[in-house]
Amino acid sequence: MKNKISTLILSLVIAFGLWVYVITSVSPGSEETFHNIPVVREGETVLQERGLMITEVSSDTVSLTLSGTRKDLAKVNSGNITLKVDLSKIYEPGTHSLQYTTSYPGDVASNAFVQEARTPESITFTVEERRNKEVPVEIKWIGSSPEGFLTDKESRVLDYPTVTVVGPASVADQIEKAVIEVDLTERRESISESFRYTLCDAEGNPVDAEKITTNVQEVRLDVKIQRFKDLRLTYILVPGGGATADSVDITLSVDTIRVSGSEAVLEKLGDELVIATINLGDYAKNTELTCSINLPEGVTNLTGVTEAKINLAFKGLSIKTLTLDEFHSVNVPEGLNAEITTQELEVKVRGPVQLIQRLTADDLRATVDFTGAEAGSYSFKVTITFGEEFAALGVVEQCSVYATVSPAE
């Protein structure tokens, strides 16, 4: 009796175990839905080679309802079910509905499941021509430099003068330029910065470029902003030859130039630039001088004028040429003799007309200074002096005589 009961209990346990096994592992009637399975796109490179691109897609994920054994269903999930769609089947722009394929992990047979439902059934792609073009970078200046400062817009440098845009032709064809905005208000120093740009049409209106890709996100701009000022050109006047500032009219072809540079450099430069030293004794008649305009390093001549002409016009003066035949030697070194070879010397004297008219050779004294002379024959400078009555007169042009210096006997 006891053996029969034990056998009956064992049979029940075995039967229950078999039932559980069939229900949990073998039962083919099990069903499960998997959501948000990503769709993998294949052949997109081929699409680009055909000059095409995807602009819209109906869905990037799919929901699958699968039926099969519980054992197989336990091996899959939304992350290891693979869905693929082949874009290489598209050859022209338009709307295309493509079927996708399904694959499962390697240890699950391809026919392990029946797809009871799939949402959506297919994926719809909108395809357009793919455009690749370069557009120029344009600067939109806002405001202006503060008073006394100059922005050298013409010499500005962009690290990317053009931007490459890639995208659907319907959008790319609208884009004509990449615009950066630069605000000059209160800018007192040069700009060296990177700016984000806006893709615009020919009229400067922004284009919706969400589907556009570009080769750079920012463009670097370098532009000089410097202080400027007007610089007065002037000269140093040295009286001589009987002429003073009152007896000559001096005019410059260029009175001022505009220059730019750092504030420190311009401050040091001052408000005037001396372009010449004029010794009036060097010029016997009206003369035009050409002088270079030389600026310190770091200063830019905005006018572009590199030379100025200075005109000298003498007034109220007269010139008389006198011949001298008497010379006075001074400061002959000890142990040496100086013999003046020149017998006569013509001297041009200039001064007020009334004085020149009364002047004679006897009113002039010619002196030759032999300080530091050595033995030999040389030319020596002659100094002409006048009496107090003729102090307003002067000699025009340098005078010299020849002399021989020899040891004293």
Side-chain angles (χ1 to χ4, degrees):
M1 185 66 177
K2 290 182 179 179
N3 288 336
K4 289 182 178 181
I5 293 173
S6 298
T7 301
L8 178 61
I9 292 173
L10 179 60
S11 298
L12 290 172
V13 170
I14 293 173
F16 180 76
L18 289 172
W19 177 82
V20 170
Y21 171 75
V22 170
I23 292 299
T24 59
S25 300
V26 180
S27 176
S30 299
E31 185 177 284
E32 189 171 347
T33 299
F34 302 91
H35 300 281
N36 299 318
I37 305 172
V39 178
V40 178
R41 302 179 190 180
E42 293 187 324
E44 200 154 9
T45 301
V46 176
L47 203 64
Q48 292 182 5
E49 291 173 353
R50 294 172 182 163
L52 302 173
M53 67 179 295
I54 303 297
T55 57
E56 292 184 20
V57 59
S58 61
S59 179
D60 286 317
T61 62
V62 168
S63 294
L64 285 181
T65 300
L66 304 178
S67 63
T69 65
R70 289 186 179 278
K71 181 180 180 181
D72 287 335
L73 286 172
K75 295 179 181 179
V76 296
N77 56 59
S78 297
N80 63 11
I81 298 174
T82 303
L83 304 180
K84 296 181 180 180
V85 63
D86 186 3
L87 299 178
S88 66
K89 297 177 181 179
I90 300 174
Y91 290 89
E92 59 185 18
T95 302
H96 302 267
S97 183
L98 301 179
Q99 296 292 324
Y100 49 86
T101 61
T102 309
S103 59
Y104 307 107
D107 57 346
V108 178
S110 60
N111 60 352
F113 305 112
V114 174
Q115 294 188 11
E116 301 293 345
R118 45 194 281 163
T119 306
E121 285 287 340
S122 61
I123 307 296
T124 301
F125 295 93
T126 301
V127 178
E128 291 190 38
E129 290 186 21
R130 183 175 182 269
R131 188 80 77 232
N132 185 321
K133 63 186 286 190
E134 286 192 355
V135 296
V137 175
E138 182 177 290
I139 303 174
K140 181 179 180 181
W141 304 100
I142 300 174
S144 58
S145 304
E147 184 177 356
F149 286 82
L150 175 71
T151 301
D152 191 1
K153 297 179 182 178
E154 296 303 317
S155 299
R156 89 285 187 280
V157 177
L158 296 167
D159 63 345
Y160 286 95
T162 62
V163 171
T164 302
V165 298
V166 181
S170 60
V171 180
D173 288 347
Q174 299 178 52
I175 300 172
E176 295 297 332
K177 53 191 173 183
V179 178
I180 63 174
E181 293 187 350
V182 181
D183 190 351
L184 296 177
T185 307
E186 297 305 318
R187 287 272 194 172
R188 296 172 178 267
E189 295 182 353
S190 295
I191 297 173
S192 184
E193 301 175 17
S194 293
F195 294 84
R196 295 191 70 86
Y197 54 82
T198 301
L199 298 176
C200 299
D201 60 18
E203 286 71 40
N205 302 310
V207 173
D208 184 358
E210 182 181 357
K211 298 176 182 178
I212 294 291
T213 60
T214 58
N215 61 325
V216 292
Q217 298 299 314
E218 296 181 330
V219 175
R220 187 171 189 83
L221 168 68
D222 290 286
V223 60
K224 283 186 178 180
I225 298 178
Q226 293 183 311
R227 194 174 191 93
F228 73 85
K229 69 176 181 180
D230 291 331
L231 195 63
R232 189 168 68 89
L233 302 184
T234 187
Y235 48 84
I236 296 173
L237 190 65
V238 179
T244 65
D246 293 333
S247 56
V248 62
D249 288 330
I250 301 179
T251 56
L252 280 74
S253 60
V254 180
D255 294 317
T256 61
I257 59 171
R258 178 160 290 185
V259 298
S260 66
S262 68
E263 293 193 70
V265 171
L266 294 189
E267 184 69 25
K268 183 178 180 181
L269 184 60
D271 297 322
E272 295 183 342
L273 178 68
V274 175
I275 61 172
T277 297
I278 304 172
N279 189 330
L280 295 178
D282 293 337
Y283 307 99
K285 58 183 179 178
N286 296 347
T287 304
E288 181 180 84
L289 307 176
T290 299
C291 305
S292 297
I293 301 174
N294 299 314
L295 294 169
E297 185 176 353
V299 179
T300 301
N301 185 343
L302 300 178
T303 62
V305 178
T306 60
E307 293 182 341
K309 296 185 183 300
I310 301 178
N311 284 285
L312 307 180
F314 295 97
K315 57 184 181 179
L317 301 177
S318 180
I319 293 179
K320 177 181 285 189
T321 300
L322 300 173
T323 300
L324 303 183
D325 56 9
E326 184 178 351
F327 307 100
H328 301 275
S329 300
V330 297
N331 299 321
V332 177
E334 186 176 354
L336 297 175
N337 285 328
E339 181 181 355
I340 297 175
T341 306
T342 302
Q343 300 297 311
E344 292 184 344
L345 177 67
E346 287 190 346
V347 178
K348 293 181 179 179
V349 181
R350 181 175 58 193
V353 176
Q354 62 273 22
L355 290 180
I356 288 293
Q357 290 176 342
R358 303 202 309 268
L359 183 69
T360 66
D362 295 334
D363 298 314
L364 279 62
R365 178 181 175 85
T367 303
V368 181
D369 189 349
F370 288 95
T371 300
E374 297 179 351
S377 297
Y378 310 96
S379 63
F380 292 86
K381 177 182 177 181
V382 178
T383 300
I384 307 297
T385 55
F386 304 87
E388 185 176 346
E389 178 185 359
F390 298 102
L393 302 180
V395 174
V396 179
E397 300 177 355
Q398 181 66 47
C399 299
S400 61
V401 295
Y402 290 97
T404 298
V405 179
S406 57
E409 296 180 357

